[in-house]
Amino acid sequence: MMSEPKEIFVKLDQCMGCHTCELACAVAHSESKTLYGALLERSVPQKRIYVEWAPPNRPVPILCRHCEEAPCLHACISGAIFRSAEGVVRSDPDRCIGCWTCVMVCPYGVIGRHLQEQKAYKCDRCPDLKMPACVTACPTKALVYRSAATHAKEIRQTAAFKITAGSGA
Ligand code: SF4
Ligand code: SF4
């Protein structure tokens, strides 16, 4: 039986807004793969996850959903955005012409513009790593990498626990 593909899920109540995930993402996408090396690189490494703040004071990590009907992929006029065999929406810098069409159509605002390189960049789920760098780095485990079924089961179990705790059963 084929195993269900894994995705990155956010546990909002566990995020403390430290931005560690952003830093780890940028380093993972640097040439040196080290923090100090990344700081010295000519082409500044970029993050692909963004911690935004919602009222009253709540951090919300936002990252690519690798949409099934991906607007960025459909809109890309040079064929630079494609879906990998694993279902991950990726961008090929060699084919990107820097027109920013994908940036305009992404409903989550998670495609960045590398102005030095004139290339669009986005989450690639760290294909060379066992676990995406942001997930590994998060100190509170607010980011998890698992199948949708596993994630849903945990939500159901938490709900069941709350129901029984509330009813005194
Ligand atoms: S590393 Fe974890 S806790 Fe820190 S901002 Fe990112 S998701 Fe939130
Ligand atoms: S970059 Fe935006 S539009 Fe493209 S797959 Fe990710 S969330 Fe969807």
Side-chain angles (χ1 to χ4, degrees):
M1 196 175 69
M2 237 177 75
S3 62
E4 229 195 306
K6 291 181 178 178
E7 300 172 42
I8 301 171
F9 292 97
V10 178
K11 292 183 171 184
L12 269 185
D13 53 343
Q14 284 177 223
C15 178
M16 60 177 177
C18 64
H19 298 270
T20 305
C21 49
E22 294 180 342
L23 190 61
C25 178
V27 171
H29 291 89
S30 69
E31 277 182 30
S32 66
K33 315 288 184 206
T34 67
L35 178 57
Y36 294 110
L39 289 172
L40 299 173
E41 284 172 24
R42 184 199 62 82
S43 180
V44 180
Q46 309 288 329
K47 64 182 180 183
R48 278 100 166 134
I49 180 168
Y50 306 82
V51 180
E52 301 295 344
W53 292 80
N57 190 25
R58 188 155 189 200
V60 184
I62 309 275
L63 69 165
C64 174
R65 299 314 309 160
H66 299 274
C67 313
E68 276 180 32
E69 289 297 325
C72 61
L73 193 153
H74 290 304
C76 178
I77 58 174
S78 70
I81 299 194
F82 64 100
R83 192 179 299 278
S84 73
E86 298 76 34
V88 176
V89 176
R90 300 184 60 186
S91 61
D92 177 354
D94 291 337
R95 298 189 72 169
C96 178
I97 57 171
C99 67
W100 315 135
T101 308
C102 55
V103 178
M104 287 188 283
V105 300
C106 172
Y108 292 94
V110 289
I111 301 190
R113 294 183 303 154
H114 200 304
L115 297 178
Q116 267 173 299
E117 306 290 340
Q118 287 290 299
K119 304 284 183 191
Y121 60 89
K122 66 177 297 302
C123 169
D124 57 6
R125 288 217 190 116
C126 301
D128 301 330
L129 302 177
K130 212 170 160 194
M131 181 87 79
C134 57
V135 177
T136 304
C138 177
T140 61
K141 306 288 175 229
L143 303 172
V144 289
Y145 187 51
R146 52 171 57 153
S147 72
T150 304
H151 192 65
K153 185 166 181 57
E154 186 187 283
I155 292 172
R156 287 195 300 273
Q157 285 176 332
T158 305
F161 181 84
K162 282 182 184 162
I163 290 166
T164 52
S167 68

